[in-house]
Amino acid sequence: MKSRRPCGKKTTRKRLLELSDLETNALYLGNAARQNQSVLEQLKGLSVYHGFSAREKERLEDVLIEARQLVDMTSLGSQNLAQLEGTYNNILNNNLNDTMKFLTIWSIVLTAPTIVSGFFGQNVPLPFEHTPGGWLITIALSLLLALIFAVWMNHYVNR
């Protein structure tokens, strides 16, 4: 199943920083909305409120309803941003896991030729050292071991 990015855009550092800025601004907006709601509710308890006309009291109630709705909407927006951030984190973690898996497999596959050539770099008697095609046999052995590791790792990873 092919994964789709939001709006088909690539996840970049710039976009992640913009998302972080959005989260920060949503946090500030949510806190300001809650403080405004608190101030408006406290206004109802003051003696000034009792001097308001019926129309002014009705308007204050309307403003309080709008303030509560703003608090709810900023809370919902913050939750959406947090969920989006979590999704991006999961995508980035999966990409990192895939990259690390690829690099690990290749480091294991490339270990075989290094080990074989390391043995032939020692000053000790080794097989094929006096054979005319010994160098080619050594390279073939290295490639064979690398191929065996590659097939084994491919089988192991794709279980």
Side-chain angles (χ1 to χ4, degrees):
M1 186 163 138
K2 194 174 188 181
S3 64
R4 293 184 55 194
R5 290 188 189 102
C7 301
K9 295 182 180 178
K10 184 177 179 181
T11 303
T12 62
R13 180 181 301 267
K14 180 183 176 199
R15 292 188 194 283
L16 291 174
L17 290 174
E18 289 172 353
L19 177 62
S20 176
D21 288 343
L22 272 176
E23 283 184 304
T24 302
N25 291 336
L27 179 68
Y28 290 144
L29 183 62
N31 285 337
R34 280 188 289 282
Q35 288 173 351
N36 287 344
Q37 179 187 358
S38 175
V39 167
L40 290 171
E41 287 174 352
Q42 289 174 0
L43 182 62
K44 287 176 66 175
L46 297 176
S47 60
V48 172
Y49 177 75
H50 300 295
F52 286 175
S53 68
R55 178 146 173 83
E56 289 171 333
K57 288 180 180 179
E58 183 180 323
R59 281 195 173 171
L60 181 61
E61 283 300 320
D62 290 343
V63 169
L64 261 170
I65 290 170
E66 293 292 330
R68 288 184 195 115
Q69 288 177 346
L70 177 62
V71 168
D72 291 341
M73 292 303 291
T74 55
S75 174
L76 182 62
S78 292
Q79 289 173 357
N80 285 341
L81 286 172
Q83 186 175 9
L84 182 62
E85 181 190 27
T87 301
Y88 274 124
N89 282 337
N90 288 339
I91 291 169
L92 291 174
N93 285 337
N94 285 339
N95 290 345
L96 179 62
N97 287 342
D98 291 343
T99 301
M100 292 306 295
K101 183 174 22 173
F102 175 80
L103 292 174
T104 301
I105 289 170
W106 275 103
S107 68
I108 290 171
V109 168
L110 294 175
T111 299
T114 305
I115 292 172
V116 171
S117 64
F119 282 126
F120 279 88
Q122 303 295 320
N123 291 327
V124 294
L126 293 168
F128 314 122
E129 75 178 313
H130 297 296
T131 308
W135 182 76
L136 291 175
I137 293 171
T138 305
I139 290 179
L141 179 65
S142 297
L143 292 176
L144 178 67
L145 284 173
L147 181 65
I148 290 170
F149 279 156
V151 169
W152 179 66
M153 289 303 293
N154 188 35
H155 175 72
Y156 178 75
V157 169
N158 293 328
R159 274 200 222 175

